[in-house]
Amino acid sequence: MSTTKPDTSWLGLVLPFADTAAPVGGYAHSYGLEGLVQDGAVRTLEEFCLFLRRDVWASLQKVDLPLMELTYAAAECEDWREVRALDELAWALRPTRQLREAAGKVGRQQWRLYQRTWGKDAEEPDCFAGYQAPVVAGVVFAARGVPCEGGVRILAYQTYSALLQSALKLLPVGPMAVQELLHEMMLLLENREQHSRPVRKEDLGTFNPLWDIAASRHERAEARLFLS
């Protein structure tokens, strides 16, 4: 049996980075969920579960997680031109203004938080066009030696946690159900790591008109709780 202790120093970074109480503005966004609720597309716990398992998981698999992985690889090689190209692509892949701005605002705040804590002595690379959250995460994780698979789990946790916290205010969902759903969604990553193939840059993207239209309508809603 090996007596070498695994390096867990990176946990000190990712724990506050994944904390829903971190001052990055995620609490102000529902990422289109409020629009879906207003349109009547998501009304019950069962419909919300389907949304998480089908729509959110597809978006993670085809957009956010591959973007983070590609950025991580580019940042490790200090290929800042490629990181900037990925940041621009991440912005273009968001179908509505609200969703683009939400990802940019959260990503910018995450970078500011990093600069004030673990990245105090780090110079900011000239690689951000829109500070899209998955790209910022890839740069931060690579810089601090967080394993890429660990970064994948943190990004998925952040995504699902933000939506579940929004659901507490929008749907008949209780705190215990939220934790059960979060556990179930994180188990999806196990299957991804075992069976999925890397997504190429040219294959990034999803098509979800219902979610996109609901997010667009939310911009002009007469009343709303969330910015997106």
Side-chain angles (χ1 to χ4, degrees), residues 3-145:
T3 57
T4 304
K5 293 183 178 180
D7 180 15
T8 58
S9 59
W10 55 272
L11 284 172
L13 165 69
V14 299
L15 289 175
F17 199 82
D19 190 351
T20 55
V24 297
Y27 61 87
H29 299 276
S30 76
Y31 302 97
L33 177 60
E34 186 173 20
L36 288 166
V37 172
Q38 290 172 338
D39 282 358
V42 177
R43 297 164 297 179
T44 65
L45 177 59
E46 290 72 23
E47 290 171 343
F48 180 52
C49 291
L50 178 61
F51 170 66
L52 294 176
R53 296 188 191 109
R54 183 188 63 193
D55 303 322
V56 179
W57 180 237
S59 179
L60 280 171
Q61 279 193 301
K62 297 296 185 180
V63 180
D64 287 8
L65 299 184
L67 272 171
M68 195 284 294
E69 291 170 324
L70 290 168
T71 302
Y72 186 102
E76 275 196 315
C77 301
E78 297 187 356
D79 187 351
W80 305 123
R81 180 178 296 180
E82 176 64 11
V83 172
R84 189 176 187 85
L86 288 166
D87 196 30
E88 292 172 350
L89 177 60
W91 184 90
L93 288 170
R94 306 289 176 191
T96 68
R97 178 181 63 84
Q98 276 196 348
L99 296 181
R100 287 192 292 269
E101 290 181 353
K105 288 177 180 178
V106 170
R108 191 181 295 273
Q109 286 298 102
Q110 286 176 331
W111 183 256
R112 287 174 179 168
L113 178 62
Y114 172 66
Q115 286 185 312
R116 294 188 179 191
T117 54
W118 294 90
K120 275 187 176 180
D121 300 326
E123 293 184 9
E124 179 172 354
D126 183 20
C127 63
F128 298 123
Y131 287 85
Q132 294 293 292
V135 176
V136 171
V139 172
V140 170
F141 294 155
R144 301 308 304 179

Side-chain angles (χ1 to χ4, degrees), residues 151-190:
V152 165
R153 290 174 179 272
I154 291 300
L155 186 57
Y157 176 88
Q158 287 177 318
T159 301
Y160 279 119
S161 182
L163 286 163
L164 287 162
Q165 291 301 313
S166 300
L168 286 170
K169 300 177 181 178
L170 296 169
L171 293 165
V173 179
M176 190 64 71
V178 162
Q179 291 303 313
E180 290 174 353
L181 282 170
L182 183 58
H183 173 70
E184 179 185 341
M185 296 306 109
M186 295 305 293
L187 288 178
L188 293 175
L189 291 171
E190 303 290 340

